[in-house]
Amino acid sequence: LEVSGVLSCCTAGVVLAVLSPALIFEPESMESVWSTIEWIGNTLIFTLAGLIIGKRCIYFLSFTNLGYLLLLYALLFVVRFITICLCCPILWLFNNGISMNETVFLTWAGLRGAVSMALALSLANSIAEGRTTLEKDNSDVVFFFIGSIVALTLLINATTCGYLLP
C-alpha cells in the first residue's frame, strides 16, 4: 500500500485498543509493558537520530540556519498556542475547559519529537527508494531542523516546564 510505517503502527495500536476485550489485558500489567516498549522505542529513535545528525547534518550549522532555527522554534509555539485555543470550545463540551495557565503549560510542554524524528528518519529511506522527488541534500536540511527543534525542546522545554506548574 506504500503508506507510512509510523501511521500504520499508530493505527494498529488504536484498532487493538478498541477491539481487544477488557478481560485479556490487566491495566497495571499493560501499563508496565507499554512503558517499557515506549522507553525502548524512544531510546532507539533518539540514538539513531543523534548518530545521523552528527554525521549528515553538522554541515548545515551556520548563522543563517541558526537564525531560521530560532524563528522556526518560536513559530512552533505560536502555532501550538493557536491550535490549543481553537480546540478550547471542544474541550468545553467534554470537560470544564482549560484555564489560561493550562493553555500556557500545554503550549510550552507539548513540543516533543519522537514521531517527528521517526518521520524525518523515514524521509531518507523514501528518497533512497525513489518514492519522493525531494533531493538528499534537502532531506538533510529538513532533518537538521527537525533534529535541532527536538534537541531544543528537550534541553529547554523539558527542563523548565516544572516552573510553569502551580
Side-chain angles (χ1 to χ4, degrees), residues 77-87 107:
F77 284 111
V78 173
V79 169
R80 179 168 283 282
F81 182 76
I82 290 170
T83 303
I84 292 169
C85 288
L86 290 174
C87 291
T107 301

Side-chain angles (χ1 to χ4, degrees), residues 17 25 28 32 38-40 49 62 70 72 80 82 90 95 97 101 110 120 124 126 129 151 154 156 165:
F25 303 115
E28 294 83 17
S32 176
E38 176 190 16
W39 181 83
I40 291 169
S62 67
L70 294 176
L72 184 61
R80 179 168 283 282
I82 290 170
I90 297 169
N95 198 350
N101 287 341
S126 296
E129 293 176 358
L154 289 173
I156 298 171
L165 296 173

Side-chain angles (χ1 to χ4, degrees), residues 27-54:
E28 294 83 17
S29 298
M30 289 306 295
E31 180 69 29
S32 176
V33 168
W34 284 113
S35 292
T36 303
I37 291 171
E38 176 190 16
W39 181 83
I40 291 169
N42 279 331
T43 301
L44 286 173
I45 288 172
F46 287 111
T47 301
L48 286 172
L51 291 170
I52 291 171
I53 285 175

